[in-house]
Amino acid sequence: MKKLNLKAKNEIIQILTAIGIALVITLLVLLGTSEEPFYAFSKLLTAPLTRMRYFGNVIELMIPLAFAGLSASLLFRSGLFNMGGEGIFYISGIITTILATRSLGNGFFHSFLVILAASLFGGLIACISGFFKAKYDANELVTSLMLNTILFGIGFYILKTRLKDMSVTGVASAPFLDTAKLTVIIPKTNITTGFILLLLLTGTIWFIYKKTKLGYMIKMTGINKDFAKYSGMSFFALTMIVHFMSGFIAGMGSSVHLLSMYDRFTWSALPGYGFDGCLVAMLGKNHPIGAFVAAFGLSYLRTGSDIMARSTDVPVEMVAIVEMVLVLLITADFIVKYLKRKKALAGGTVNE
Amino acid sequence: MNDILALLVTPAFFYAILRVTTPILFAALGNVISSKAGVSNIAMEGTMLTASLAGVLASAYSKSALIGLIAALLVGVLFSAFMAYLSLYLGTKVIMAGIALNLFASSFTVYILYMFTGQKGNSASLASKQIPSVKLPLIDKIPVIGEIFSGHNILVYVALLSVAAIYIMLNKTKLGTHIKAVGENPAAAASVGIKVRRVQFTALCLSGLLAGFGGAYMSMGYLSMFTRDMIAGRGWIAIAASAMGRSMVIPTTITSFLFGIFSAIGNVLQLQNIPSELITTLPYVAVFIGIVVYSVRKSRGGRS
């Protein structure tokens, strides 16, 4: 137990150091490029807290990021580098649209059905890459990336030819029915029941990791990919289960996001949540609660930079610098190594 | 149908194949080198994007295409060196670093573009230079062949020459032998005195150099300016091509050309009233099927 605490302590120190360094670098960049660096810096850091609406924006944006992050972290944790979340977000969005624009019962039942269908579909789609990886060892990174573009092409084709609402300009579907949309739980924001769903999901994944054999297998396979084989479970089954779960979560994230924040489907490009999910997973160290916190942090940062961009001369893309510094410092283990070395030099025990 | 066929057998069509394959070929060859050393460089997309912006900015301010090209190559190498340092010395997984740097490049280039031009979409306001095209002597005079092979951007020929150069580098030089040894068995390589990390570092820098060529071609040859996210997935396709070519120079080159052929077919079909959304997925479907077929065959072969 003491060992675990020390490891957790080291990780917390590492994350705080990373945040500290990222903030210093941000300030330096602003000093170099902005006319009013300190004003911009304070906007970036504090603006989301100044109004309820802004803080609502943080949570609203956090929800799809967290779903995508949970989806990616499941795969990464089991050592699978699949980046197909992007395409699944899009195609599950199309499924959501098909069902959300049709009358299918009352408020609760309709949205439940839409989300379930989109999630199941996402899970099945993820199994395509999963199947070829599990059975034939086809590089899942490559197949999933190819699938992203293919799914987008198919989805956009369906949108343009079958779902397009001719009465609006641009490519957009017919409006979602009110019965499909999720209920707002905090007034004056767009925070919906989707947030509760996210909390439940995060808890479930945490439970699976912590308390079930499957969770243990996922973690151990990530550390040593032959583990599943030795311990009696087939690598095939594990890979398929992990892919299905990951796709299921991504599909759910897409559906929840659309039914919370959109009136109709308007994505005419891949939405970017799949790749952002990879960032969230990395920041959260492939841990469900880590992903939840990382999604909040990333969303806070992006909301802050968005507000900053509106009131200063700094473009919103500046946030990419902060994000990269954070991700790289958190995924690199040199701070932890440094802490260990310091401890070893001081005569303490080193926990490897 | 005959109309389409007629469009597909023209010299212009084959000329287009060379044109669209070039950036992919550069990046795919870059990925071959790093994969051979056992560290797959998946930051091709971001490296090319950053290099293409560097080329445009440097050429606009120096009024020289050559300086633009050098800047693009330098940035390509630096970008990869940074990733190599992170993954080889600071312990970030190379795939993680690659994903992060790709995402970073996508926004960072827009930020830099905005800082220099006040625009976020493209660099049209900058008088950036283009790398010139050349007519090949003699070949230019041959009917059909001349139309296909002559008159390309210099970098198209550089790409074709790099196929040979990298083949020789990997198979005939000491560096190539070291790269392959490190990739196949790092422990064995280290035991005979090869500096594993230094070789991997070099391989990643070389792959960055090639991505730099690819980026420079995109903004100073294929197009005459930088536009946001202009690499548009070519870096990923290149990685797929290298995976399909099993990280071998010649098969990877062939796969890159296959992709180029499907893209060029897509471009022709788009003019024929066939839904463009589906057509643009054609090359990706081809790569997907290619990878699956190869993996199925390999696993069958392994079992028997």
Side-chain angles (χ1 to χ4, degrees), chain B residues 180-234:
Chain B
K180 287 197 288 190
V182 164
E184 274 160 28
N185 190 338
S191 74
V192 294
I194 297 174
K195 300 249 183 318
V196 173
R197 280 200 286 199
R198 192 183 291 171
V199 170
Q200 289 180 327
F201 196 93
T202 313
L204 280 172
C205 288
L206 280 174
S207 79
L209 181 77
L210 284 158
F213 269 115
Y217 174 75
M218 284 306 294
S219 63
M220 302 167 72
Y222 192 84
L223 296 180
S224 55
M225 61 176 167
F226 176 86
T227 64
R228 116 183 253 165
D229 286 324
M230 70 186 306
I231 305 303
R234 288 176 177 86

Side-chain angles (χ1 to χ4, degrees), chain B residues 49-73:
Chain B
L49 194 62
T50 318
S52 63
L53 177 63
V56 161
L57 290 177
S59 75
Y61 286 97
S62 68
K63 299 190 172 57
S64 152
L66 183 66
I67 291 179
L69 175 65
I70 292 169
L73 299 181

